[in-house]
């Protein structure tokens, strides 16, 4: 994008650090092992919040943000997310002054009490009245913006995307080593859950379903860390004490970006059984599809209606219906050949959900100013 316009990114969370930043979801400090800062102008703004972080409204406060943006003298301003002190301040200040664009991935899939819906309606209609254009990520996200007052002509699809090429490059030798370390045979099926072990992603449901199904040639692989890690491992240990069949559940700590393509390529089925709230998209699904894998997700996952074609790229289950989950999981892992065919269709499907499409949509709106 920076090759086609004068682009500058202002990072609001705080200063860049050599040792990374603490991620509360993974419960560990994360420092990405791929370069995210090359090829464009950027600036890390001072964050004076008493408790810096993206988990609460007051976690991002940048006293100089208005001055810095004004100095850049932009023709348009794209803000990611509104629920932080500085971001909302920017939306309010620059309304009418320059075209204000917005990007977020919220949806309406999570049920809320009537009073919360009414309060949210009032608040978000006001928030988005400060926005000229929205680059929405998919169908559920578009419906969300329409609910809060955005018109069709204000909405532009800029699909949620990851680096498809990096996840699709063949890592066969490393994949074979990983599967061997898990004691998998060639015809064994590996079910993968990768991400934060947190309640909204519902890894407990997957573990319980897998342990109860007792599928002879299937293994379950949890990759990541988080608040539920000890509980998941304790449940595995409890079952193993009763029956050594449960050695087919494996755990691996958080893996950085350079190795994650190997993890995805090693599996046969990727599962994201989220129950919400706020599983806004699930970019891990994009990553698994780029690696050529079949997908099983709940209907609370934001990308479900866009990316998952039942019986083609995988399946979707009803989040509150555990028997539906078990039935669909069982059907998928009963046929490895079917999983391979779904994986091929996943890889074809995700090709159109790429950075190029996203960038072209943003540039087209910029050039129309």
């Amino acid at each position: 994008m920076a090759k086609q316009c004068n682009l500058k990114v202002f990072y609001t969370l705080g200063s860049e650090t050599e040792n990374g930043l603490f991620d509360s979801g993974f419960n560990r400090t994360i420092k990405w092992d791929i370069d995210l800062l090359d090829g464009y102008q950027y600036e890390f703004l001072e964050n004076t919040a008493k408790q810096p972080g993206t988990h609460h409204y007051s976690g991002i406060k940048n006293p100089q943000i208005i001055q810095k943006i004004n100095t850049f003298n932009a023709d348009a301003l794209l803000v990611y997310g509104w629920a932080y002190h500085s971001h909302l301040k920017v939306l309010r200040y620059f309304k009418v002054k320059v075209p204000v664009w917005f990007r977020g991935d919220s949806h309406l899939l999570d049920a809320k009490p009537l009073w919360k819906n009414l309060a949210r309606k009032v608040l978000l209609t006001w928030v988005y009245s400060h926005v000229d254009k929205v680059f929405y990520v998919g169908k559920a996200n578009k419906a969300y913006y329409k609910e809060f007052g955005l018109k069709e002509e204000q909405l532009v699809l800029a699909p949620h995307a990851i680096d498809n090429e990096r996840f699709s490059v063949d890592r066969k030798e490393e994949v074979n080593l990983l599967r061997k370390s898990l004691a998998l045979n060639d015809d064994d099926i590996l079910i993968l859950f990768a991400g934060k072990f947190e309640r909204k992603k519902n890894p407990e449901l997957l573990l319980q379903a897998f342990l109860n199904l007792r599928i002879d040639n299937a293994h379950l692989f949890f990759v990541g860390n988080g608040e539920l890690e000890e509980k998941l491992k304790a449940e595995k240990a409890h079952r193993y004490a009763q029956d050594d069949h449960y050695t087919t559940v494996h755990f691996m700590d958080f893996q950085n970006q350079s190795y994650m393509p190997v993890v995805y390529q090693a599996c046969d089925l990727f599962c994201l059984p989220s129950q919400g709230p706020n599983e806004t998209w699930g970019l891990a699904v994009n990553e698994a599809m780029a690696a050529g894998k079949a997908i099983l997700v709940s209907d609370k996952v934001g990308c479900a209606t866009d990316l998952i074609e039942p019986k083609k790229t995988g399946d979707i289950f009803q989040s509150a219906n555990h028997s539906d989950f078990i039935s669909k999981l069982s059907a998928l892992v009963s046929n490895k050949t079917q999983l391979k065919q779904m994986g091929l269709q996943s890889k074809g499907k995700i090709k159109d959900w790429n950075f190029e499409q996203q960038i072209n949509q943003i540039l087209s709106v910029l050039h129309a100013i």
Side-chain angles (χ1 to χ4, degrees):
M1 188 170 176
K3 292 176 181 178
Q4 301 180 63
C5 69
N6 185 14
L7 172 70
K8 184 168 184 179
V9 177
F10 294 96
Y11 288 105
T12 57
L13 182 57
S15 300
E16 181 183 12
T17 64
E18 291 185 5
N19 298 320
L21 293 169
F22 183 77
D23 187 301
S24 58
F26 281 118
N27 196 30
R28 61 186 296 160
T29 297
I30 303 295
K31 180 175 174 60
W32 301 116
D33 63 356
I34 60 174
D35 190 356
L36 300 175
L37 299 174
D38 184 46
Y40 64 97
Q41 299 178 72
Y42 63 89
E43 184 173 349
F44 286 87
L45 299 177
E46 180 187 11
N47 182 9
T48 61
K50 291 182 179 179
Q51 295 182 336
T54 58
H55 58 291
H56 64 120
Y57 174 78
S58 297
I60 297 178
K61 290 186 176 181
N62 314 109
Q64 294 181 306
I65 192 167
I66 302 299
Q67 176 191 340
K68 293 284 188 177
I69 295 173
N70 274 327
T71 300
F72 184 61
N73 195 28
D75 295 308
L77 178 63
L78 175 55
V79 180
Y80 283 74
W82 67 268
Y84 308 112
H85 180 274
S86 285
H87 293 215
L88 186 56
K89 177 181 176 181
V90 166
L91 291 177
R92 296 180 67 186
Y93 178 86
F94 284 99
K95 180 183 180 182
V96 182
K97 296 179 177 67
V98 297
V100 176
W101 304 340
F102 185 83
R103 187 163 173 84
D105 53 12
S106 297
H107 55 60
L108 301 170
L109 300 178
D110 300 316
K112 296 184 184 299
L114 178 60
W115 71 268
K116 281 193 174 183
N117 283 334
L118 292 173
R120 182 167 69 163
K121 178 88 169 181
V122 172
L123 172 63
L124 294 183
T125 299
W126 174 77
V127 168
Y128 294 127
S129 71
H130 297 84
V131 172
D132 297 299
K133 292 280 186 182
V134 167
F135 295 98
Y136 68 93
V137 304
K139 294 175 184 175
N141 186 220
K142 182 180 183 180
Y144 164 89
Y145 289 120
K146 284 196 165 187
E147 174 68 16
F148 301 117
L150 277 297
K151 307 301 183 186
E152 184 71 31
E153 59 270 19
Q154 294 178 276
L155 302 173
V156 180
L157 174 62
H160 241 335
I162 50 94
D163 186 350
N164 289 341
E165 182 177 358
R166 185 162 63 83
F167 286 90
S168 63
V169 171
D170 191 352
R171 305 279 290 271
K172 187 174 182 180
E173 290 185 8
E174 294 164 280
V175 167
N176 289 339
L177 287 173
L178 177 55
R179 287 182 65 93
K180 185 177 180 180
S181 73
L182 300 176
L184 269 66
N185 298 317
D186 289 343
D187 60 347
D188 283 342
I189 291 173
L190 185 62
I191 305 164
L192 172 66
F193 175 99
K196 298 174 181 178
F197 300 165
E198 57 188 357
R199 298 192 185 283
K200 77 172 183 180
K201 293 184 183 297
N202 209 11
E204 294 171 284
L205 174 64
L206 176 57
L207 178 61
Q208 292 164 5
F210 178 81
L211 293 176
N212 291 328
L213 280 172
R214 296 177 60 93
I215 305 163
D216 289 336
N217 69 326
H219 290 239
L220 177 58
F221 192 23
F222 287 103
V223 178
N225 297 101
E227 61 177 337
L228 296 177
E229 183 173 353
E230 291 186 8
K231 187 174 183 180
L232 293 168
K233 289 180 176 178
E235 177 65 14
K236 177 205 169 178
H238 173 70
R239 294 294 188 102
Y240 177 56
Q242 300 174 326
D243 186 339
D244 64 8
H245 173 81
Y246 300 118
T247 56
T248 55
V249 178
H250 314 273
F251 289 87
M252 178 181 279
D253 284 340
F254 165 87
Q255 298 298 303
N256 219 312
Q257 284 294 299
S258 63
Y259 191 69
M260 279 307 298
V262 176
V263 172
Y264 287 115
Q265 290 179 32
C267 81
D268 299 282
L269 173 67
F270 178 76
C271 184
L272 184 57
S274 300
Q275 61 185 347
N278 301 322
E279 184 62 82
T280 52
W281 182 262
L283 280 171
V285 173
N286 294 59
E287 294 171 347
M289 292 179 75
K293 301 304 169 181
I295 310 294
L296 177 61
V297 298
S298 82
D299 57 4
K300 298 296 185 183
V301 176
C303 71
T305 55
D306 292 280
L307 300 183
I308 310 307
E309 298 181 51
K311 315 306 180 187
K312 292 185 179 180
T313 62
D315 218 335
I316 304 169
F317 71 92
Q318 298 170 8
S319 175
N321 188 338
H322 292 182
S323 63
D324 185 44
F325 174 61
I326 291 172
S327 173
K328 287 174 177 173
L329 176 63
S330 180
L332 285 168
V333 298
S334 67
N335 189 330
K336 182 156 182 164
T337 300
Q338 173 186 255
L339 288 176
K340 286 182 177 179
Q341 292 171 347
M342 288 180 172
L344 290 173
Q345 293 193 71
S346 283
K347 197 167 188 176
K349 173 79 173 181
I350 206 64
K351 283 182 178 179
D352 291 333
W353 294 75
N354 57 57
F355 285 143
E356 289 75 19
Q357 293 272 23
Q358 190 179 116
I359 290 167
N360 288 340
Q361 290 289 72
I362 295 172
L363 288 172
S364 68
V365 176
L366 177 63
H367 295 153
I369 293 178

